[in-house]
Amino acid sequence: GNFQDLVAFQKALWPIGPALSPASFLFLGDYVDRGAHSVEVVTYLLAQKLISPSKFKLLRGNHETRIQNAHSGYNPCFKDSCEKLFGHQVGHEVWESVNQVFDALPLAAIVDNSIFCVHGGIPAPSVLRSFCTGDMKPGPAALIAEINKISRDLPQPDPSQPQGDQLAWDLMWNDPAPSVSADKKVEGMGADGFGHNQSRGTAHMFSSEALDQFLRRSGFSHLVRAHEVRKTGFQVQQHSRMVTLFSSSGYCGANNEACCILACEGKLRFIRLEHNAEEVAEASAAAAEQEEGDESDDDDDIEDEPERANTFPANTGGKG
């Protein structure tokens, strides 16, 4: 919901429109909730997708689900923003229509045949059986085949619900395990390098060893993901094989920056937005009125409270 930063990226990266830009643009999800302009952000992105479908690629994040973007605790959630702008009846129809688009968004992308991109993280071996057990030859084709088995229309990815999908859930929700010293192990991690994601109450966390094995087997060089706020807008992690990217500055009142990645000529370059002090102060003051907190690894001034998956009220069918 940070439309100010989206416009700033537009001015820096595609000032005369994506159709005339030599680059293509990949977005990693979480377009709505918490920010004051979720409707504007998603409207702009979908409009650009219609205008330049081959240039704009939108992945699905964990907030592109009804149960998340109808959660009033996000203050405002996407559903509340729609109803505030358009009224209860029309707003609900807009919210539902946009979520029908979210239902069909892809869950992963591959850049330059070497960079695996998702919102959350790599999936656990238990949900990639044929890929991880050797039933299929190593390489990206095996992984793509597994992901393409996921329904192209997935209103409810939560595997605890009917019609849910654990692989989709992992791609949207997984996190890297917290960093520990070489002589220590993260509590709850299995022999495969995965463990229950206790901080979120759902999905998995994965170790650097699990990431190395996944990248080696799939033939990729790096993982690029989002899902966690970072003070500088990005963080290079897990033996420099993974980048966590965050593209919304002043998140929930925190003093974090926004960043994107330029993948060009076999290199990854980081581009951070620069806001003057007055803009940052105004944005932080406005955001401070909203709900505080998201996750962090080691950024001391950012609230270390990972958001948790919301549970379904009785007989809502996952429609919020």
PDB file of all heavy atoms in Angstrom, residues 16-49:
ATOM      1  N   ILE A  16       9.220   6.687 -18.964  1.00  0.00           N
ATOM      2  CA  ILE A  16       8.383   6.912 -20.152  1.00  0.00           C
ATOM      3  C   ILE A  16       7.520   5.698 -20.448  1.00  0.00           C
ATOM      4  O   ILE A  16       7.023   5.528 -21.565  1.00  0.00           O
ATOM      5  CB  ILE A  16       9.242   7.279 -21.383  1.00  0.00           C
ATOM      6  CG1 ILE A  16      10.303   6.194 -21.639  1.00  0.00           C
ATOM      7  CG2 ILE A  16       9.895   8.637 -21.187  1.00  0.00           C
ATOM      8  CD1 ILE A  16      11.130   6.465 -22.889  1.00  0.00           C
ATOM      9  N   GLY A  17       7.334   4.858 -19.455  1.00  0.00           N
ATOM     10  CA  GLY A  17       6.472   3.694 -19.599  1.00  0.00           C
ATOM     11  C   GLY A  17       7.256   2.421 -19.820  1.00  0.00           C
ATOM     12  O   GLY A  17       8.308   2.431 -20.451  1.00  0.00           O
ATOM     13  N   PRO A  18       6.744   1.308 -19.316  1.00  0.00           N
ATOM     14  CA  PRO A  18       7.462   0.037 -19.444  1.00  0.00           C
ATOM     15  C   PRO A  18       7.598  -0.444 -20.879  1.00  0.00           C
ATOM     16  O   PRO A  18       8.556  -1.133 -21.217  1.00  0.00           O
ATOM     17  CB  PRO A  18       6.620  -0.928 -18.603  1.00  0.00           C
ATOM     18  CG  PRO A  18       5.271  -0.307 -18.529  1.00  0.00           C
ATOM     19  CD  PRO A  18       5.496   1.168 -18.547  1.00  0.00           C
ATOM     20  N   ALA A  19       6.657  -0.092 -21.742  1.00  0.00           N
ATOM     21  CA  ALA A  19       6.709  -0.554 -23.131  1.00  0.00           C
ATOM     22  C   ALA A  19       7.955  -0.061 -23.849  1.00  0.00           C
ATOM     23  O   ALA A  19       8.475  -0.735 -24.742  1.00  0.00           O
ATOM     24  CB  ALA A  19       5.458  -0.111 -23.876  1.00  0.00           C
ATOM     25  N   LEU A  20       8.447   1.121 -23.481  1.00  0.00           N
ATOM     26  CA  LEU A  20       9.616   1.697 -24.130  1.00  0.00           C
ATOM     27  C   LEU A  20      10.896   1.454 -23.340  1.00  0.00           C
ATOM     28  O   LEU A  20      11.954   1.947 -23.724  1.00  0.00           O
ATOM     29  CB  LEU A  20       9.409   3.204 -24.339  1.00  0.00           C
ATOM     30  CG  LEU A  20       8.233   3.598 -25.241  1.00  0.00           C
ATOM     31  CD1 LEU A  20       8.096   5.110 -25.317  1.00  0.00           C
ATOM     32  CD2 LEU A  20       8.401   3.000 -26.625  1.00  0.00           C
ATOM     33  N   SER A  21      10.796   0.730 -22.254  1.00  0.00           N
ATOM     34  CA  SER A  21      11.979   0.426 -21.449  1.00  0.00           C
ATOM     35  C   SER A  21      12.630  -0.854 -21.971  1.00  0.00           C
ATOM     36  O   SER A  21      11.935  -1.808 -22.357  1.00  0.00           O
ATOM     37  CB  SER A  21      11.593   0.249 -19.985  1.00  0.00           C
ATOM     38  OG  SER A  21      12.675  -0.280 -19.243  1.00  0.00           O
ATOM     39  N   PRO A  22      13.959  -0.929 -21.976  1.00  0.00           N
ATOM     40  CA  PRO A  22      14.619  -2.173 -22.391  1.00  0.00           C
ATOM     41  C   PRO A  22      14.513  -3.279 -21.348  1.00  0.00           C
ATOM     42  O   PRO A  22      14.807  -4.438 -21.647  1.00  0.00           O
ATOM     43  CB  PRO A  22      16.080  -1.741 -22.581  1.00  0.00           C
ATOM     44  CG  PRO A  22      16.254  -0.575 -21.656  1.00  0.00           C
ATOM     45  CD  PRO A  22      14.937   0.145 -21.678  1.00  0.00           C
ATOM     46  N   ALA A  23      14.099  -2.940 -20.144  1.00  0.00           N
ATOM     47  CA  ALA A  23      14.035  -3.910 -19.050  1.00  0.00           C
ATOM     48  C   ALA A  23      12.625  -4.461 -18.895  1.00  0.00           C
ATOM     49  O   ALA A  23      11.642  -3.894 -19.375  1.00  0.00           O
ATOM     50  CB  ALA A  23      14.476  -3.247 -17.742  1.00  0.00           C
ATOM     51  N   SER A  24      12.543  -5.604 -18.214  1.00  0.00           N
ATOM     52  CA  SER A  24      11.268  -6.138 -17.748  1.00  0.00           C
ATOM     53  C   SER A  24      11.245  -6.023 -16.227  1.00  0.00           C
ATOM     54  O   SER A  24      12.298  -5.914 -15.586  1.00  0.00           O
ATOM     55  CB  SER A  24      11.101  -7.600 -18.182  1.00  0.00           C
ATOM     56  OG  SER A  24      11.047  -7.702 -19.586  1.00  0.00           O
ATOM     57  N   PHE A  25      10.060  -6.077 -15.646  1.00  0.00           N
ATOM     58  CA  PHE A  25       9.916  -5.768 -14.227  1.00  0.00           C
ATOM     59  C   PHE A  25       9.164  -6.894 -13.518  1.00  0.00           C
ATOM     60  O   PHE A  25       8.059  -7.261 -13.911  1.00  0.00           O
ATOM     61  CB  PHE A  25       9.183  -4.436 -14.046  1.00  0.00           C
ATOM     62  CG  PHE A  25       9.864  -3.300 -14.761  1.00  0.00           C
ATOM     63  CD1 PHE A  25       9.483  -2.950 -16.048  1.00  0.00           C
ATOM     64  CD2 PHE A  25      10.917  -2.619 -14.175  1.00  0.00           C
ATOM     65  CE1 PHE A  25      10.132  -1.922 -16.722  1.00  0.00           C
ATOM     66  CE2 PHE A  25      11.573  -1.599 -14.841  1.00  0.00           C
ATOM     67  CZ  PHE A  25      11.181  -1.249 -16.122  1.00  0.00           C
ATOM     68  N   LEU A  26       9.789  -7.422 -12.464  1.00  0.00           N
ATOM     69  CA  LEU A  26       9.218  -8.510 -11.681  1.00  0.00           C
ATOM     70  C   LEU A  26       8.933  -8.014 -10.274  1.00  0.00           C
ATOM     71  O   LEU A  26       9.819  -7.482  -9.599  1.00  0.00           O
ATOM     72  CB  LEU A  26      10.195  -9.686 -11.635  1.00  0.00           C
ATOM     73  CG  LEU A  26       9.800 -10.872 -10.745  1.00  0.00           C
ATOM     74  CD1 LEU A  26       8.558 -11.565 -11.288  1.00  0.00           C
ATOM     75  CD2 LEU A  26      10.957 -11.866 -10.629  1.00  0.00           C
ATOM     76  N   PHE A  27       7.697  -8.201  -9.818  1.00  0.00           N
ATOM     77  CA  PHE A  27       7.283  -7.796  -8.476  1.00  0.00           C
ATOM     78  C   PHE A  27       7.014  -9.059  -7.653  1.00  0.00           C
ATOM     79  O   PHE A  27       6.414 -10.018  -8.141  1.00  0.00           O
ATOM     80  CB  PHE A  27       6.030  -6.923  -8.539  1.00  0.00           C
ATOM     81  CG  PHE A  27       6.246  -5.611  -9.251  1.00  0.00           C
ATOM     82  CD1 PHE A  27       6.222  -5.560 -10.639  1.00  0.00           C
ATOM     83  CD2 PHE A  27       6.487  -4.449  -8.544  1.00  0.00           C
ATOM     84  CE1 PHE A  27       6.430  -4.350 -11.310  1.00  0.00           C
ATOM     85  CE2 PHE A  27       6.700  -3.239  -9.200  1.00  0.00           C
ATOM     86  CZ  PHE A  27       6.672  -3.196 -10.587  1.00  0.00           C
ATOM     87  N   LEU A  28       7.438  -9.049  -6.385  1.00  0.00           N
ATOM     88  CA  LEU A  28       7.483 -10.263  -5.577  1.00  0.00           C
ATOM     89  C   LEU A  28       6.291 -10.440  -4.641  1.00  0.00           C
ATOM     90  O   LEU A  28       6.315 -11.330  -3.795  1.00  0.00           O
ATOM     91  CB  LEU A  28       8.780 -10.292  -4.760  1.00  0.00           C
ATOM     92  CG  LEU A  28      10.074 -10.298  -5.566  1.00  0.00           C
ATOM     93  CD1 LEU A  28      11.282 -10.335  -4.628  1.00  0.00           C
ATOM     94  CD2 LEU A  28      10.120 -11.454  -6.547  1.00  0.00           C
ATOM     95  N   GLY A  29       5.246  -9.625  -4.780  1.00  0.00           N
ATOM     96  CA  GLY A  29       4.053  -9.850  -3.978  1.00  0.00           C
ATOM     97  C   GLY A  29       3.898  -8.875  -2.823  1.00  0.00           C
ATOM     98  O   GLY A  29       4.718  -7.991  -2.598  1.00  0.00           O
ATOM     99  N   ASP A  30       2.803  -9.065  -2.070  1.00  0.00           N
ATOM    100  CA  ASP A  30       2.415  -8.176  -0.969  1.00  0.00           C
ATOM    101  C   ASP A  30       2.191  -6.753  -1.465  1.00  0.00           C
ATOM    102  O   ASP A  30       2.871  -5.809  -1.053  1.00  0.00           O
ATOM    103  CB  ASP A  30       3.457  -8.203   0.155  1.00  0.00           C
ATOM    104  CG  ASP A  30       3.246  -9.394   1.092  1.00  0.00           C
ATOM    105  OD1 ASP A  30       2.475 -10.304   0.732  1.00  0.00           O
ATOM    106  OD2 ASP A  30       3.860  -9.414   2.178  1.00  0.00           O
ATOM    107  N   TYR A  31       1.209  -6.599  -2.326  1.00  0.00           N
ATOM    108  CA  TYR A  31       0.880  -5.295  -2.902  1.00  0.00           C
ATOM    109  C   TYR A  31      -0.125  -4.521  -2.044  1.00  0.00           C
ATOM    110  O   TYR A  31      -0.280  -3.306  -2.217  1.00  0.00           O
ATOM    111  CB  TYR A  31       0.298  -5.492  -4.306  1.00  0.00           C
ATOM    112  CG  TYR A  31       1.118  -6.444  -5.135  1.00  0.00           C
ATOM    113  CD1 TYR A  31       0.597  -7.672  -5.550  1.00  0.00           C
ATOM    114  CD2 TYR A  31       2.439  -6.147  -5.473  1.00  0.00           C
ATOM    115  CE1 TYR A  31       1.356  -8.559  -6.284  1.00  0.00           C
ATOM    116  CE2 TYR A  31       3.206  -7.032  -6.200  1.00  0.00           C
ATOM    117  CZ  TYR A  31       2.664  -8.235  -6.603  1.00  0.00           C
ATOM    118  OH  TYR A  31       3.426  -9.124  -7.321  1.00  0.00           O
ATOM    119  N   VAL A  32      -0.784  -5.223  -1.132  1.00  0.00           N
ATOM    120  CA  VAL A  32      -1.875  -4.617  -0.361  1.00  0.00           C
ATOM    121  C   VAL A  32      -1.654  -4.831   1.134  1.00  0.00           C
ATOM    122  O   VAL A  32      -0.794  -5.604   1.552  1.00  0.00           O
ATOM    123  CB  VAL A  32      -3.240  -5.210  -0.777  1.00  0.00           C
ATOM    124  CG1 VAL A  32      -3.520  -4.913  -2.251  1.00  0.00           C
ATOM    125  CG2 VAL A  32      -3.289  -6.719  -0.527  1.00  0.00           C
ATOM    126  N   ASP A  33      -2.471  -4.107   1.922  1.00  0.00           N
ATOM    127  CA  ASP A  33      -2.501  -4.164   3.394  1.00  0.00           C
ATOM    128  C   ASP A  33      -1.481  -3.213   4.025  1.00  0.00           C
ATOM    129  O   ASP A  33      -0.431  -2.922   3.465  1.00  0.00           O
ATOM    130  CB  ASP A  33      -2.290  -5.576   3.941  1.00  0.00           C
ATOM    131  CG  ASP A  33      -3.465  -6.506   3.636  1.00  0.00           C
ATOM    132  OD1 ASP A  33      -4.580  -5.991   3.439  1.00  0.00           O
ATOM    133  OD2 ASP A  33      -3.264  -7.718   3.587  1.00  0.00           O
ATOM    134  N   ARG A  34      -1.861  -2.763   5.202  1.00  0.00           N
ATOM    135  CA  ARG A  34      -1.069  -1.894   6.078  1.00  0.00           C
ATOM    136  C   ARG A  34      -0.890  -0.482   5.528  1.00  0.00           C
ATOM    137  O   ARG A  34      -1.108   0.475   6.230  1.00  0.00           O
ATOM    138  CB  ARG A  34       0.292  -2.528   6.396  1.00  0.00           C
ATOM    139  CG  ARG A  34       0.200  -3.709   7.364  1.00  0.00           C
ATOM    140  CD  ARG A  34       1.574  -4.039   7.947  1.00  0.00           C
ATOM    141  NE  ARG A  34       1.481  -5.080   8.965  1.00  0.00           N
ATOM    142  CZ  ARG A  34       1.711  -6.379   8.746  1.00  0.00           C
ATOM    143  NH1 ARG A  34       2.090  -6.774   7.552  1.00  0.00           N
ATOM    144  NH2 ARG A  34       1.585  -7.246   9.721  1.00  0.00           N
ATOM    145  N   GLY A  35      -0.469  -0.305   4.303  1.00  0.00           N
ATOM    146  CA  GLY A  35      -0.304   1.032   3.745  1.00  0.00           C
ATOM    147  C   GLY A  35      -1.647   1.681   3.441  1.00  0.00           C
ATOM    148  O   GLY A  35      -2.672   1.014   3.294  1.00  0.00           O
ATOM    149  N   ALA A  36      -1.625   3.007   3.308  1.00  0.00           N
ATOM    150  CA  ALA A  36      -2.864   3.758   3.114  1.00  0.00           C
ATOM    151  C   ALA A  36      -3.381   3.706   1.682  1.00  0.00           C
ATOM    152  O   ALA A  36      -4.501   4.149   1.416  1.00  0.00           O
ATOM    153  CB  ALA A  36      -2.639   5.221   3.519  1.00  0.00           C
ATOM    154  N   HIS A  37      -2.596   3.155   0.748  1.00  0.00           N
ATOM    155  CA  HIS A  37      -2.982   3.251  -0.665  1.00  0.00           C
ATOM    156  C   HIS A  37      -2.923   1.900  -1.361  1.00  0.00           C
ATOM    157  O   HIS A  37      -2.411   1.789  -2.484  1.00  0.00           O
ATOM    158  CB  HIS A  37      -2.080   4.257  -1.374  1.00  0.00           C
ATOM    159  CG  HIS A  37      -2.124   5.632  -0.782  1.00  0.00           C
ATOM    160  ND1 HIS A  37      -3.211   6.476  -0.894  1.00  0.00           N
ATOM    161  CD2 HIS A  37      -1.216   6.299  -0.023  1.00  0.00           C
ATOM    162  CE1 HIS A  37      -2.975   7.607  -0.259  1.00  0.00           C
ATOM    163  NE2 HIS A  37      -1.769   7.525   0.283  1.00  0.00           N
ATOM    164  N   SER A  38      -3.487   0.879  -0.733  1.00  0.00           N
ATOM    165  CA  SER A  38      -3.489  -0.451  -1.341  1.00  0.00           C
ATOM    166  C   SER A  38      -4.253  -0.461  -2.657  1.00  0.00           C
ATOM    167  O   SER A  38      -3.827  -1.093  -3.634  1.00  0.00           O
ATOM    168  CB  SER A  38      -4.123  -1.465  -0.381  1.00  0.00           C
ATOM    169  OG  SER A  38      -3.304  -1.710   0.736  1.00  0.00           O
ATOM    170  N   VAL A  39      -5.386   0.220  -2.697  1.00  0.00           N
ATOM    171  CA  VAL A  39      -6.206   0.239  -3.918  1.00  0.00           C
ATOM    172  C   VAL A  39      -5.432   0.884  -5.058  1.00  0.00           C
ATOM    173  O   VAL A  39      -5.420   0.381  -6.191  1.00  0.00           O
ATOM    174  CB  VAL A  39      -7.532   0.978  -3.668  1.00  0.00           C
ATOM    175  CG1 VAL A  39      -8.327   1.111  -4.972  1.00  0.00           C
ATOM    176  CG2 VAL A  39      -8.360   0.245  -2.620  1.00  0.00           C
ATOM    177  N   GLU A  40      -4.755   1.994  -4.765  1.00  0.00           N
ATOM    178  CA  GLU A  40      -3.994   2.679  -5.805  1.00  0.00           C
ATOM    179  C   GLU A  40      -2.830   1.822  -6.308  1.00  0.00           C
ATOM    180  O   GLU A  40      -2.572   1.764  -7.520  1.00  0.00           O
ATOM    181  CB  GLU A  40      -3.466   4.017  -5.267  1.00  0.00           C
ATOM    182  CG  GLU A  40      -4.534   5.067  -5.007  1.00  0.00           C
ATOM    183  CD  GLU A  40      -5.214   4.929  -3.655  1.00  0.00           C
ATOM    184  OE1 GLU A  40      -4.990   3.909  -2.956  1.00  0.00           O
ATOM    185  OE2 GLU A  40      -5.978   5.839  -3.275  1.00  0.00           O
ATOM    186  N   VAL A  41      -2.141   1.154  -5.397  1.00  0.00           N
ATOM    187  CA  VAL A  41      -1.002   0.331  -5.787  1.00  0.00           C
ATOM    188  C   VAL A  41      -1.444  -0.804  -6.705  1.00  0.00           C
ATOM    189  O   VAL A  41      -0.873  -1.016  -7.784  1.00  0.00           O
ATOM    190  CB  VAL A  41      -0.281  -0.231  -4.545  1.00  0.00           C
ATOM    191  CG1 VAL A  41       0.700  -1.339  -4.946  1.00  0.00           C
ATOM    192  CG2 VAL A  41       0.469   0.872  -3.816  1.00  0.00           C
ATOM    193  N   VAL A  42      -2.448  -1.558  -6.295  1.00  0.00           N
ATOM    194  CA  VAL A  42      -2.856  -2.716  -7.088  1.00  0.00           C
ATOM    195  C   VAL A  42      -3.508  -2.280  -8.400  1.00  0.00           C
ATOM    196  O   VAL A  42      -3.348  -2.937  -9.438  1.00  0.00           O
ATOM    197  CB  VAL A  42      -3.781  -3.640  -6.267  1.00  0.00           C
ATOM    198  CG1 VAL A  42      -5.180  -3.066  -6.121  1.00  0.00           C
ATOM    199  CG2 VAL A  42      -3.823  -5.032  -6.868  1.00  0.00           C
ATOM    200  N   THR A  43      -4.209  -1.144  -8.396  1.00  0.00           N
ATOM    201  CA  THR A  43      -4.800  -0.645  -9.636  1.00  0.00           C
ATOM    202  C   THR A  43      -3.719  -0.260 -10.636  1.00  0.00           C
ATOM    203  O   THR A  43      -3.798  -0.592 -11.829  1.00  0.00           O
ATOM    204  CB  THR A  43      -5.692   0.568  -9.352  1.00  0.00           C
ATOM    205  OG1 THR A  43      -6.746   0.186  -8.451  1.00  0.00           O
ATOM    206  CG2 THR A  43      -6.318   1.103 -10.632  1.00  0.00           C
ATOM    207  N   TYR A  44      -2.695   0.427 -10.156  1.00  0.00           N
ATOM    208  CA  TYR A  44      -1.591   0.820 -11.031  1.00  0.00           C
ATOM    209  C   TYR A  44      -0.888  -0.406 -11.608  1.00  0.00           C
ATOM    210  O   TYR A  44      -0.629  -0.473 -12.819  1.00  0.00           O
ATOM    211  CB  TYR A  44      -0.586   1.682 -10.256  1.00  0.00           C
ATOM    212  CG  TYR A  44       0.626   2.081 -11.066  1.00  0.00           C
ATOM    213  CD1 TYR A  44       0.621   3.235 -11.841  1.00  0.00           C
ATOM    214  CD2 TYR A  44       1.770   1.276 -11.080  1.00  0.00           C
ATOM    215  CE1 TYR A  44       1.730   3.596 -12.603  1.00  0.00           C
ATOM    216  CE2 TYR A  44       2.879   1.630 -11.833  1.00  0.00           C
ATOM    217  CZ  TYR A  44       2.852   2.788 -12.589  1.00  0.00           C
ATOM    218  OH  TYR A  44       3.943   3.123 -13.349  1.00  0.00           O
ATOM    219  N   LEU A  45      -0.568  -1.373 -10.764  1.00  0.00           N
ATOM    220  CA  LEU A  45       0.165  -2.549 -11.223  1.00  0.00           C
ATOM    221  C   LEU A  45      -0.649  -3.371 -12.227  1.00  0.00           C
ATOM    222  O   LEU A  45      -0.115  -3.831 -13.246  1.00  0.00           O
ATOM    223  CB  LEU A  45       0.562  -3.417 -10.036  1.00  0.00           C
ATOM    224  CG  LEU A  45       1.617  -2.823  -9.097  1.00  0.00           C
ATOM    225  CD1 LEU A  45       1.813  -3.731  -7.886  1.00  0.00           C
ATOM    226  CD2 LEU A  45       2.940  -2.610  -9.811  1.00  0.00           C
ATOM    227  N   LEU A  46      -1.936  -3.546 -11.961  1.00  0.00           N
ATOM    228  CA  LEU A  46      -2.764  -4.306 -12.892  1.00  0.00           C
ATOM    229  C   LEU A  46      -2.950  -3.552 -14.209  1.00  0.00           C
ATOM    230  O   LEU A  46      -3.002  -4.174 -15.280  1.00  0.00           O
ATOM    231  CB  LEU A  46      -4.117  -4.627 -12.253  1.00  0.00           C
ATOM    232  CG  LEU A  46      -4.079  -5.581 -11.059  1.00  0.00           C
ATOM    233  CD1 LEU A  46      -5.469  -5.790 -10.495  1.00  0.00           C
ATOM    234  CD2 LEU A  46      -3.451  -6.922 -11.448  1.00  0.00           C
ATOM    235  N   ALA A  47      -3.030  -2.230 -14.144  1.00  0.00           N
ATOM    236  CA  ALA A  47      -3.134  -1.437 -15.370  1.00  0.00           C
ATOM    237  C   ALA A  47      -1.872  -1.582 -16.213  1.00  0.00           C
ATOM    238  O   ALA A  47      -1.938  -1.759 -17.443  1.00  0.00           O
ATOM    239  CB  ALA A  47      -3.382   0.030 -15.025  1.00  0.00           C
ATOM    240  N   GLN A  48      -0.708  -1.520 -15.566  1.00  0.00           N
ATOM    241  CA  GLN A  48       0.540  -1.688 -16.298  1.00  0.00           C
ATOM    242  C   GLN A  48       0.660  -3.106 -16.864  1.00  0.00           C
ATOM    243  O   GLN A  48       1.213  -3.295 -17.958  1.00  0.00           O
ATOM    244  CB  GLN A  48       1.728  -1.377 -15.388  1.00  0.00           C
ATOM    245  CG  GLN A  48       1.844   0.076 -14.958  1.00  0.00           C
ATOM    246  CD  GLN A  48       2.164   1.010 -16.121  1.00  0.00           C
ATOM    247  OE1 GLN A  48       2.518   0.581 -17.208  1.00  0.00           O
ATOM    248  NE2 GLN A  48       2.024   2.306 -15.892  1.00  0.00           N
ATOM    249  N   LYS A  49       0.153  -4.081 -16.146  1.00  0.00           N
ATOM    250  CA  LYS A  49       0.168  -5.453 -16.642  1.00  0.00           C
ATOM    251  C   LYS A  49      -0.686  -5.580 -17.900  1.00  0.00           C
ATOM    252  O   LYS A  49      -0.314  -6.285 -18.852  1.00  0.00           O
ATOM    253  CB  LYS A  49      -0.324  -6.402 -15.553  1.00  0.00           C
ATOM    254  CG  LYS A  49      -0.400  -7.868 -15.969  1.00  0.00           C
ATOM    255  CD  LYS A  49       0.969  -8.437 -16.279  1.00  0.00           C
ATOM    256  CE  LYS A  49       0.888  -9.922 -16.611  1.00  0.00           C
ATOM    257  NZ  LYS A  49       2.206 -10.482 -16.998  1.00  0.00           N
TER     258      LYS A  49
END
